[in-house]
Amino acid sequence: MTQNLYEIVALGARYVFAGLMLLIVLRAWRITLVDSRRASTLRHLSPQTGISGELVVIEGDEKARRGMRYPVIREGMIGTSRRADIRVRHSSVRRRHAYFQLTEEGLFIRTHAGAPMRDGDGRPVRAIVLPDGGEFILGRVRLLLVLTEAPEPPVHRRGRQDEDDEGYADEGYVDEGYVDEPGVDGRPRGGEQEAFFDVDNDF
């Protein structure tokens, strides 16, 4: 190789490496810009899509290891895509794996295009409603839901209406046991109650 040819090759290699470095910088800048815009959008929409909890990895490997936590907003998408609201980076998780939405019953999760998902017992499901502390398996990653404000459990109502703050029953409250039991003279006690509150009685 002559001296001139060597200089030409060295100069060309120098330009090639400079071009590669420029390409890497531009690509990193583009990714940073996209992530910054997405973060800015989430902050702008925070009153409607504020953080409502997190998903905790309790069984996983690769880049989704045990103990990792993913913040959960009110609704969005789970997947490996950069546009996913919850990005679980695992080979068993698809780019768009599932969609979720916070409801009064818990976190409703629905798979996308038949993506694999199982409930806490390992049974395949297409959709699931997770309460606070519920578990599910996305691909091969087992996740635990922790809500910051868990929905209140349903109140089991008895055969009477709720009492007010002073401890008195509501206006529609009827004590059926009191009405049905007979009094001393064999008449229902309800009759005695009506007589007692008769406006014609003298006190």
Side-chain angles (χ1 to χ4, degrees):
M1 180 181 295
T2 63
Q3 182 68 23
N4 292 336
L5 182 59
Y6 175 79
E7 291 179 356
I8 293 174
V9 172
L11 184 62
R14 191 175 302 171
Y15 281 115
V16 169
F17 284 118
L20 289 176
M21 291 298 297
L22 180 61
L23 181 63
I24 292 173
V25 171
L26 290 176
R27 184 172 179 81
W29 174 80
R30 179 178 176 275
I31 293 174
T32 303
L33 182 62
V34 171
D35 291 344
S36 176
R37 287 179 177 176
R38 178 173 173 271
S40 177
T41 302
L42 287 178
R43 285 193 297 268
H44 178 71
L45 297 176
S46 58
Q48 293 80 25
T49 59
I51 302 300
S52 57
E54 59 185 7
L55 289 175
V56 183
V57 178
I58 56 179
E59 289 182 13
D61 53 10
E62 300 178 12
K63 293 185 178 181
R65 297 185 179 277
R66 178 183 176 87
M68 291 188 63
R69 299 171 180 268
Y70 303 97
V72 177
I73 57 178
R74 298 194 63 85
E75 59 180 328
M77 179 183 69
I78 308 176
T80 60
S81 171
R82 292 185 179 275
R83 297 189 177 185
D85 300 283
I86 301 178
R87 191 182 183 194
V88 182
R89 302 176 67 182
H90 195 273
S91 59
S92 64
V93 179
R94 300 181 183 178
R95 290 178 57 82
R96 289 188 297 171
H97 202 106
Y99 298 95
F100 65 91
Q101 181 178 13
L102 185 66
T103 65
E104 294 182 355
E105 292 78 18
L107 189 67
F108 172 74
I109 304 175
R110 174 178 55 85
T111 60
H112 172 74
M117 183 174 70
R118 291 175 287 170
D119 61 12
D121 297 327
R123 294 171 296 195
V125 291
R126 292 291 181 89
I128 190 174
V129 177
L130 285 179
D132 182 38
E135 299 180 9
F136 75 111
I137 304 172
L138 200 72
R140 298 194 305 271
V141 182
R142 179 181 287 268
L143 298 163
L144 169 71
L145 174 66
V146 179
L147 294 176
T148 54
E149 295 182 3
E152 296 183 359
V155 178
H156 299 286
R157 300 180 64 87
R158 300 178 180 178
R160 54 177 292 178
Q161 297 183 6
D162 295 337
E163 296 184 352
D164 56 19
D165 295 337
E166 298 180 358
Y168 298 101
D170 293 340
E171 187 176 353
Y173 169 67
V174 176
D175 192 339
E176 297 178 354
Y178 180 81
V179 174
D180 293 340
E181 293 180 0
V184 178
D185 56 356
R187 295 168 53 195
R189 290 186 181 180
E192 296 177 1
Q193 187 179 19
E194 294 176 0
F196 180 80
F197 289 101
D198 192 346
V199 295
D200 296 332
N201 288 347
D202 295 329
F203 295 96

